[in-house]
């Protein structure tokens, strides 16, 4: 882009007047899935024997119950074994009429292994599976196939379930010693909390008071041994699944960097405090030392909170002053830039601090339900200033990698973002690799170290780290070299490369996180030259220290979010998230790797899971130029509807007409232009681990976008959108046809989707419509939860670029929008 194109033009905002289109579903026949080939009589006999043995054990278990502690609906849990490839059989194991529920699914331990499904069976339905097998053995359907073949042919065996059957974390984390007391996450079935607390007390199991509630689950923490949990499972119907409780998050980030008070005084002499600002960045961390001269003007006493009054609000050495260091970067960015400048400093937003970490770090701390703590922390800030616009940032993660699966913590984050009366913008750190790193580890180690919990949250903006810091000037480190080249991933930043394809792209973006230096033989060292300068929590000792890795990156992201909110106070949180992602671009080093993989979609996908969508830019997020035009839409649709007792169906799609500068684009002819589209919305989570089948989806709904092709009429485009929605609902491999986007179907992960199309200007001039349509989720698949008629908000951001051209594509669109609004 020419340097003489100043970014002095705001993005143009389209009215939310997309044409609502009914979803059309023609009569179609869906081919039944191929079923395993079985010897019918032999398979039925083997299953009847296995089920009989399980029922015999179940009856004995119920007979042995201690009447003083037995609670809930009489019944038992069965563990059903399916081939790993037969996930479609999971939903058929339940029967709502019989009150039978699939409560947990354990993934195959090895490739090709068995899928283990736990089902609660009320005593009154104990012979349910035996009857199914008997009908399979003795009767045939009108088509001549065995009755119940779709169910029975998939079942390998059945056994009585134990606490271990309901444990959905890595099986290596399950205690081998049955009397070893450890902390567990107990995922309760709906409406069972009171019964569970009474039963836990009778079993001498310690229960934490915090709880996180989801549409069909409530999660609580329990200190107990597996032997006691076996009794809990045997005596009640309360447990849906068990997971390992998260350990206390800890970070070791702290490097010296003594500075002089005069530096702070110079900054203060140029500062205009944000006293009138109604925008804040809220930090959930170890507290902030407000007495620091640079912190006091942007953080008031009233905005310092703690979730435990006994801890106080101040930062401590136990966490190396992590919260105060985060505050310095969030409020000022890298202080080196501020110190060497002489311009006035006018922060656009204020800070808020909520202490969520205890006074001392270490493994002795009890685990807790950090989802509940996160919600409580945010509530304290909101009660203090209910009308304030805020971005909430948290660089506290669990040392347990997430694997991409939702946890109670990540799902609580998703719910906090989604809440219909108070949608929130949450920004999370991707987490850091905690081991020593050698130069040869860079990127190889990053690609196998997965994102930390809770950064797998769909609705949150997850931030990784890259670096441009490669210059070492300190003579004490003469001969040292940076591990990461300029523009590459920061050495300690975690990625989602190793995740299954179904989970969202994380991190979505990367910010500066510093680098490590090495001498060729020792592991990398975070020396001061390669870090960010920030505020120290003991200003009586020194004013400045350093911060790096994904904590620094998260603080920078929070500062950008605060600046957007201050500049555009009416934008939705979904829109702010979209603008940050939409403004991101890959560095030349990243882009070189991605361009080298053109045509190799799997490789491009792995690189996106490493770098996210690149490095955001505040200027691009807020302003357009003459040859770089951005349009924004905030709108909503109703994804599903239900008539009477019929199944819920897809309802609306939205068609947005784009006021393209046709004449100007046509004049560019064969010149290459770029179209980028970003769609952002929040899902309502339903995180119980039940196999993530069509019926048991994590997200309440999904949205997708498609762009009109140059050769399509609007009616043909509508038909293609309907077909795309049908294809995704039926699991048909989707294609993007003539759209030819960089990421293609890979973009449709999580709850923010972005993609780039490149082509001729003449072609783009005819691509003048974007369609937004829904795909399934639990709002649709579980109508009994009565969410099928809910509305879904979304933000749609569209940018066209004509790099290297001096044609003005901004003014013609601005004129069209002004005329439309006036009319």
């Amino acid at each position: 882009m020419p340097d003489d194109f100043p970014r002095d033009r705001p993005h143009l905002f389209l009215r939310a007047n997309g044409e609502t289109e009914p979803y059309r579903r023609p009569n179609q026949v869906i081919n039944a899935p191929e079923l395993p080939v079985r010897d019918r009589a032999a398979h039925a006999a083997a299953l009847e024997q296995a089920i009989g043995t399980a029922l015999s054990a179940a009856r004995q278990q119920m007979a042995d119950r201690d009447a003083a502690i037995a609670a809930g609906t009489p019944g038992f849990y069965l563990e059903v074994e399916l081939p790993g490839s037969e996930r479609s059989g999971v939903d058929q194991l339940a029967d709502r009429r019989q009150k039978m529920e699939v409560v947990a699914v354990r993934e195959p331990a090895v490739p090709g292994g068995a899928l283990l499904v736990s089902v609660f069976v009320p005593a009154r339905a104990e012979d349910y599976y035996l009857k199914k097998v008997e009908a399979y053995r003795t009767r045939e359907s009108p088509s001549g196939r065995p009755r119940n073949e779709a169910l029975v042919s998939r079942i390998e065996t059945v056994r009585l379930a134990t606490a271990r059957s309901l444990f959905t974390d890595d099986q290596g984390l399950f205690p081998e010693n049955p009397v070893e007391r450890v902390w567990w996450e107990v995922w309760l079935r709906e409406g069972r909390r009171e019964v569970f607390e009474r039963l836990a007390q009778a079993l001498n199991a310690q229960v934490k008071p915090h709880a996180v509630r989801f549409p069909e689950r409530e999660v609580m923490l329990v200190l107990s041994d597996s032997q006691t949990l076996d009794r809990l499972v045997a005596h009640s119907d309360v447990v849906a699944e068990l997971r390992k409780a998260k350990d206390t998050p800890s970070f070791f980030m702290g490097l010296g960097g003594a500075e002089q008070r005069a530096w702070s005084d110079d900054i203060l002499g140029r500062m205009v405090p944000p006293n009138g600002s109604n925008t804040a960045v809220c930090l959930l961390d170890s507290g902030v030392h407000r007495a620091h001269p640079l912190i006091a003007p942007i953080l008031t006493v009233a905005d310092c909170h703690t979730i435990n009054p006994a801890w106080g609000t101040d930062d401590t050495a136990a966490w190396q002053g992590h919260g105060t260091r985060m505050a310095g970067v969030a409020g000022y960015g890298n202080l080196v830039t501020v110190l060497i400048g002489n311009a006035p400093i006018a922060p656009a937003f204020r800070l808020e601090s909520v202490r969520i970490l205890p006074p001392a770090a270490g493994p002795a701390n009890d685990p807790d339900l950090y989802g509940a703590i996160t919600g409580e922390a945010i509530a304290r800030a909101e009660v203090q200033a209910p009308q304030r616009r805020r971005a909430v940032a948290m660089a506290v993660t669990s040392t347990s990698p997430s694997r991409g699966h939702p946890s109670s913590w990540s799902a609580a984050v998703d719910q906090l973002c989604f809440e219909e009366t108070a949608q929130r913008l949450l920004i999370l750190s991707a987490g850091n690799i905690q081991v020593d790193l050698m130069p040869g580890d860079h990127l190889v180690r990053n690609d196998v170290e997965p994102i930390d919990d809770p950064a797998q949250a769909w609705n949150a903006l997850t931030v990784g780290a890259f670096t441009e810091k490669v210059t070492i000037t300190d003579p004490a480190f003469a001969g040292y070299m940076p591990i990461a080249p300029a523009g590459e991933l920061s050495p300690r930043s975690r990625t989602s490369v190793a995740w299954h394809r179904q989970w969202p792209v994380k991190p979505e973006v990367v910010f500066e996180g510093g680098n490590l230096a090495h001498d060729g033989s020792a592991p990398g060292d975070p020396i001061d030259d390669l870090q960010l300068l920030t505020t120290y929590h003991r200003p009586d000792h020194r004013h400045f220290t350093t911060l790096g890795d994904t904590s620094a990156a998260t603080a920078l992201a929070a500062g950008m979010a605060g600046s957007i909110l201050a500049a555009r106070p009416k934008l939705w949180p979904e829109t702010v998230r979209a603008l940050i992602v939409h403004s991101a671009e890959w560095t030349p080093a990243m882009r070189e790797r991605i361009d080298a993989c053109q045509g190799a979609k799997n490789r491009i996908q792995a690189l996106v899971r490493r770098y996210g969508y690149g490095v955001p830019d505040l200027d691009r997020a807020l302003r357009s130029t003459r040859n770089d035009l951005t349009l924004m839409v905030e709108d909503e649709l109703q994804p599903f509807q239900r008539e009477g007792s019929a199944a819920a169906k897809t309802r609306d799609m939205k068609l947005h007409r784009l006021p393209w500068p046709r004449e100007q684009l046509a004049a560019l002819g064969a010149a290459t232009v770029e179209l980028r589209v970003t769609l952002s919305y929040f899902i309502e989570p339903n995180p119980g681990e039940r196999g993530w089948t069509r019926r048991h989806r994590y997200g309440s709904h999904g949205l997708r976008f498609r762009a009109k092709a140059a050769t399509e009429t609007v009616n043909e485009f509508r038909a293609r959108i309907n077909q795309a929605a049908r294809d995704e609902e039926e699991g048909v491999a989707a294609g993007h046809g003539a759209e030819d986007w960089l990421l293609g179907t890979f973009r449709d992960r999580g709850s923010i989707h972005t993609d780039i199309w490149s082509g001729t200007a003449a072609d783009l001039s005819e691509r003048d419509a974007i369609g937004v349509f829904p795909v399934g989720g639990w709002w649709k698949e579980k109508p009994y939860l009565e969410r099928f008629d809910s509305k879904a908000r979304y933000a749609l951001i569209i940018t066209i670029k004509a790099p290297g051209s001096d044609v003005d594509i901004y003014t013609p669109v601005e004129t069209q929008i002004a005329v439309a609004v006036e009319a």
Side-chain angles (χ1 to χ4, degrees):
M1 180 185 309
D3 292 337
D4 61 344
F5 283 173
R7 289 184 172 273
D8 57 357
R9 298 168 173 83
H11 294 335
L12 298 176
F13 213 107
L14 293 179
R15 292 179 300 168
N17 60 351
E19 304 166 27
T20 302
E21 295 289 336
Y23 177 81
R24 303 172 182 88
R25 178 179 295 275
N27 296 328
Q28 50 182 158
V29 177
I30 306 301
N31 292 330
E34 186 175 341
L35 301 174
V37 177
R38 298 281 193 188
D39 181 319
R40 179 177 175 183
H43 183 56
L47 280 184
E48 286 175 333
Q49 181 176 354
I51 295 170
T53 300
L55 291 182
S56 178
R59 294 185 188 105
Q60 186 62 52
Q61 177 179 277
M62 288 189 290
D64 292 341
R65 280 182 170 181
D66 184 342
I69 61 175
T73 301
F76 50 88
Y77 295 84
L78 292 180
E79 184 176 71
V80 182
E81 185 175 314
L82 305 177
S85 61
E86 295 297 328
R87 295 178 183 276
S88 56
V90 171
D91 291 342
Q92 298 180 51
L93 295 172
D95 190 318
R96 292 189 65 240
R97 294 168 300 180
Q98 300 288 339
K99 307 298 185 184
M100 295 171 60
E101 181 184 358
V102 171
V103 293
V105 176
R106 288 165 55 192
E107 296 292 331
V110 296
L115 197 66
L116 302 177
V117 184
S118 294
V119 184
F120 177 75
V121 181
R124 64 176 178 271
E126 66 174 32
D127 58 353
Y128 177 85
Y129 291 129
L130 275 180
K131 290 180 177 179
K132 293 289 185 182
V133 175
E134 180 184 6
Y136 167 79
R137 177 172 52 82
T138 61
R139 300 170 60 191
E140 293 182 350
S141 67
S143 65
R145 303 297 299 174
R147 288 278 186 185
N148 306 317
E149 181 184 25
L151 169 64
V152 178
S153 65
R154 289 184 167 100
I155 299 176
E156 296 286 354
T157 191
V158 178
R159 63 184 70 90
L160 185 65
T162 63
R164 186 160 201 152
S165 305
L166 303 179
F167 188 71
T168 56
D169 264 338
D170 184 337
Q171 292 300 299
L173 300 176
F174 194 90
E176 294 301 324
N177 183 348
V179 295
E180 178 187 359
R181 286 169 64 86
V182 297
W183 285 100
W184 309 76
E185 280 187 9
V186 179
W187 291 61
L188 302 174
R189 299 176 67 210
E190 189 171 20
R192 267 73 169 185
R193 177 174 177 175
E194 185 177 341
V195 173
F196 164 72
E197 290 178 325
R198 186 168 63 249
L199 185 54
Q201 183 177 10
L203 293 173
N204 195 32
Q206 181 182 335
V207 178
K208 287 265 191 176
H210 294 296
V212 179
R213 182 170 178 79
F214 301 109
E216 295 180 277
R217 296 288 182 261
E218 195 159 9
V219 188
M220 303 194 73
L221 275 185
V222 178
L223 179 64
S224 183
D225 53 58
S226 62
Q227 183 175 269
T228 300
L229 291 183
D230 277 331
R231 294 192 69 202
L232 180 67
V233 170
H235 281 77
S236 71
D237 65 340
V238 300
V239 180
E241 56 182 294
L242 301 166
R243 302 186 192 181
K244 178 181 177 290
K246 302 300 182 288
D247 57 348
T248 302
S250 63
F251 298 86
F252 182 74
M253 304 173 187
L255 297 172
E259 304 290 346
Q260 300 295 316
R261 175 178 290 273
W263 295 3
S264 291
D265 291 342
D266 177 70
I267 293 175
L268 291 173
R270 294 183 277 135
M271 178 181 286
V272 179
N275 296 329
S277 175
N278 194 39
T279 304
V281 168
C282 180
L283 300 173
L284 311 187
D285 212 286
S286 59
V288 174
H289 186 64
R290 186 185 169 274
H292 193 292
L294 296 183
I295 300 298
I298 55 177
L299 175 63
T300 68
V301 173
D303 290 327
C304 294
H305 310 282
T306 176
I307 64 163
N308 187 334
W311 297 351
T313 63
D314 205 355
D315 207 349
T316 67
W319 299 99
Q320 296 83 46
H322 188 261
T324 305
R325 292 192 283 161
M326 288 284 293
V329 175
Y332 297 96
N334 187 354
L335 274 174
V336 170
T337 304
V338 180
L339 288 167
I340 65 176
N342 56 12
I345 302 166
F349 54 85
R350 64 181 70 237
L351 295 182
E352 297 171 334
S353 169
V354 187
R355 182 171 182 170
I356 64 171
L357 295 177
N365 292 315
D366 288 342
D368 215 324
L369 273 177
Y370 294 112
I373 287 176
T374 304
E376 180 181 342
I378 294 172
R380 289 178 183 268
E382 290 178 342
V383 168
Q384 161 64 21
Q387 302 304 316
R388 188 177 292 167
R389 301 294 310 282
R390 59 176 55 80
V392 179
M394 183 169 65
V396 176
T397 65
S398 167
T399 54
S400 300
S402 67
R403 300 180 300 148
H405 291 236
S407 67
S408 61
W409 194 0
S410 73
V413 166
D414 281 333
Q415 189 146 301
L416 287 165
C417 294
F418 172 82
E419 285 183 13
E420 291 174 298
T421 57
Q423 289 89 350
R424 301 177 178 89
L425 176 63
L426 268 69
I427 301 170
L428 305 179
S429 159
N432 303 319
I433 299 172
Q434 300 292 338
V435 300
D436 289 340
L437 296 173
M438 300 296 293
D441 295 331
H442 185 235
L443 299 185
V444 175
R445 193 62 183 262
N446 299 87
D447 285 352
V448 298
E449 294 280 357
I451 299 288
D452 274 344
D453 188 23
Q456 71 271 35
W458 289 32
N459 295 337
L461 179 71
T462 300
V463 181
F466 89 112
T467 189
E468 297 283 3
K469 293 187 171 295
V470 294
T471 302
I472 300 173
T473 60
D474 190 337
F477 295 98
Y480 276 63
M481 297 291 292
I483 283 184
E488 263 291 358
L489 198 69
S490 189
R492 287 176 171 160
S493 189
R494 291 178 176 269
T495 71
S496 64
V497 174
W499 285 2
H500 189 276
R501 192 171 185 267
Q502 76 187 85
W503 301 116
V505 170
K506 296 287 179 174
E508 289 96 345
V509 292
V510 291
F511 283 77
E512 178 65 69
N515 210 337
L516 301 179
H518 71 96
D519 62 1
S521 58
D525 187 16
I527 67 173
D528 288 354
D529 274 344
L530 303 182
Q531 303 289 289
L532 281 72
L533 193 69
T534 186
T535 46
Y536 186 55
H537 75 289
R538 292 288 305 277
D540 52 327
H541 288 189
R542 62 181 188 269
H543 278 215
F544 305 113
T545 184
T546 56
L547 183 66
D549 300 328
T550 57
S551 288
T554 302
L556 289 173
M560 180 175 176
S563 296
I564 294 174
L565 283 170
R568 305 282 189 271
K570 294 183 179 180
L571 291 183
W572 295 344
E574 301 97 313
T575 312
V576 176
R577 179 179 68 152
L579 285 171
I580 294 174
V581 172
H582 192 80
S583 74
E585 292 184 355
W586 293 300
T587 66
M590 300 171 189
R591 188 81 216 202
E592 183 179 359
R593 293 181 184 274
I594 289 171
D595 288 343
C597 298
Q598 291 297 334
K601 290 293 188 184
N602 289 341
R603 183 62 181 147
I604 291 177
Q605 293 166 14
L607 292 172
V608 173
R609 286 192 177 276
R610 177 195 291 171
Y611 303 124
Y613 301 106
V615 184
D617 179 87
L618 179 61
D619 213 30
R620 284 195 300 266
L622 290 178
R623 285 173 283 278
S624 297
T625 64
R626 288 197 303 162
N627 67 345
D628 186 342
L629 163 69
T630 295
L631 303 172
M632 296 191 295
V633 179
E634 289 180 336
D635 207 344
E636 68 175 17
L637 55 76
Q638 182 175 324
F640 315 116
Q641 65 180 355
R642 187 185 189 194
E643 297 178 0
S645 60
K649 296 180 179 180
T650 306
R651 180 185 174 189
D652 292 342
M653 74 174 187
K654 283 290 182 77
L655 186 67
H656 295 278
R657 302 292 187 92
L658 303 176
W660 276 168
R662 289 175 179 272
E663 183 179 335
Q664 287 72 18
L665 289 173
L668 290 173
T672 299
V673 294
E674 183 178 284
L675 169 67
R676 181 167 184 173
V677 180
T678 299
L679 175 65
S680 173
Y681 55 97
F682 291 159
I683 56 97
E684 183 176 11
N686 192 349
E689 180 76 81
R690 286 171 292 184
W692 312 117
T693 63
R694 174 171 172 172
R695 178 169 173 75
H696 296 299
R697 304 194 210 206
Y698 175 70
S700 51
H701 64 289
L703 298 180
R704 302 288 185 263
F705 73 81
R706 294 289 187 272
K708 176 180 170 292
T711 57
E712 284 181 313
T713 66
V714 172
N715 286 337
E716 288 170 341
F717 179 43
R718 290 188 180 113
R720 178 160 63 88
I721 292 176
N722 275 280
Q723 185 62 53
R726 288 195 296 272
D727 286 348
E728 181 147 357
E729 281 297 279
E730 303 302 343
V732 177
H736 288 249
E739 295 184 57
D740 192 26
W741 295 77
L742 176 64
L743 302 181
T745 57
F746 177 70
R747 73 189 182 207
D748 295 337
R749 304 290 177 269
S751 64
I752 186 164
H753 316 301
T754 189
D755 209 349
I756 299 169
W757 174 90
S758 294
T760 68
D763 193 347
L764 178 60
S765 68
E766 298 299 323
R767 295 172 177 266
D768 56 355
I770 299 284
V772 176
F773 61 92
V775 295
W778 63 262
W779 278 358
K780 177 184 178 184
E781 304 297 342
K782 299 192 174 189
Y784 54 87
L785 294 177
E786 297 185 348
R787 298 286 285 147
F788 50 81
D789 57 354
S790 300
K791 297 288 184 69
R793 303 196 322 185
Y794 63 88
L796 185 66
I797 316 291
I798 307 113
T799 292
I800 55 174
K801 293 184 179 181
S805 169
D806 61 358
V807 66
D808 183 1
I809 60 177
Y810 181 92
T811 304
V813 176
E814 181 184 33
T815 303
Q816 288 188 59
I817 290 177
V819 170
V821 171
E822 188 175 319

